[in-house]
Amino acid sequence: MGLGLTAVAGYRSPGSCPYEIWQDPLVSQSMVTLRKLALNDWQAVHSWASLEEACRYQPWGPNTEDQTRAFVQAAVEAWSHAHQQRFVYIARFENELVGMGELHIRSRRHRQGEIAYIVHPRAWGRGVGTAIGQELLSRGFGELGLHRIYATCDPRNLASSRLLGKLGMTYEGRHRHTALIRDGWRDSEMFSILEAEWPARTRR
């Protein structure tokens, strides 16, 4: 099974991309940088994809090595597609690979996109997820010209809900029984932000 992501933050409180650096106040003056996912990143990805706590609210995982390799292979190949829909990045923080972010174009005609992220538990509560989300939104609106970008999370994942709010995303409601996970049917909280709302957010 692959790593089909929804927004994942900690459960406790808190080559074609311009690799911008976003500094979050919670990161204590350190930097989070994003780059394209590469095949040799699979071991870093597996370091969190194999953890039950990291995929607690996901329909995948904990992954085997083969499952993580397959996910990374597909994500890397997506960068070479003529009409690219998926943009998967890996995040570096304090000289370690600690998470990933994905921007997925859901409709080019209607300029709709989705973001998702996952952070290694050892980096929870340090602003890494916020930095990943900020960069994904920046690329979605600035580089891809999207009109609306949304994200979902499990209602029980309160840290992720707070993170999406910090990104300036608006809570739109709850979708019922969107995924069958290990402990039963999962609902999804829906958040979104529009292109007209993004410039005001970035000027703060």
Side-chain angles (χ1 to χ4, degrees):
M1 183 181 298
L3 276 150
L5 300 180
T6 55
V8 181
Y11 313 134
R12 53 185 180 266
S13 298
S16 59
C17 167
Y19 301 133
E20 300 175 3
I21 296 175
W22 166 257
Q23 187 168 357
D24 186 283
L26 295 179
V27 178
S28 303
Q29 306 303 312
S30 294
M31 299 291 185
V32 175
T33 57
L34 300 185
R35 64 164 171 80
K36 291 194 300 184
L37 187 68
L39 289 176
N40 61 3
D41 292 326
W42 79 266
Q43 288 179 309
V45 174
H46 194 64
S47 72
W48 58 76
S50 60
L51 300 178
E52 185 173 352
E53 58 186 325
C55 57
R56 177 181 174 189
Y57 301 128
Q58 301 301 317
W60 53 266
N63 272 20
T64 65
E65 288 190 359
D66 285 345
Q67 288 169 335
T68 300
R69 286 178 185 268
F71 164 79
V72 172
Q73 177 75 37
V76 171
E77 289 177 354
W79 282 93
S80 62
H81 292 172
H83 300 287
Q84 187 177 353
Q85 299 291 111
R86 296 180 65 199
F87 302 80
V88 183
Y89 304 91
I90 197 158
R92 181 179 293 275
F93 172 59
E94 295 186 341
N95 208 34
E96 291 187 272
L97 299 177
V98 296
M100 290 190 335
E102 178 168 347
L103 173 60
H104 199 135
I105 299 176
R106 295 300 185 183
S107 171
R108 289 190 179 274
R109 178 182 178 185
H110 300 291
R111 296 163 56 202
Q112 304 285 302
E114 179 181 10
I115 62 168
Y117 50 84
I118 188 167
V119 177
H120 196 294
R122 69 172 179 263
W124 286 351
R126 304 182 69 184
V128 176
T130 305
I132 293 173
Q134 190 84 12
E135 177 62 22
L136 294 175
L137 292 175
S138 179
R139 171 143 176 88
F141 290 123
E143 296 292 317
L144 301 179
L146 296 176
H147 173 70
R148 174 179 176 270
I149 299 176
Y150 68 88
T152 65
C153 69
D154 190 300
R156 297 168 294 179
N157 194 343
L158 301 181
S160 195
S161 295
R162 287 192 294 269
L163 190 158
L164 296 173
K166 284 178 59 181
L167 292 175
M169 305 184 86
T170 298
Y171 176 66
E172 294 186 340
R174 180 175 298 185
H175 293 188
R176 299 184 300 164
H177 289 200
T178 58
L180 183 59
I181 64 176
R182 286 162 297 286
D183 61 354
W185 284 102
R186 194 201 92 167
D187 293 348
S188 291
E189 306 277 36
M190 175 69 73
F191 293 78
S192 76
I193 185 169
L194 305 180
E195 60 179 328
E197 299 166 339
W198 179 246
R201 177 69 181 176
T202 56
R203 286 195 296 268
R204 294 178 186 175

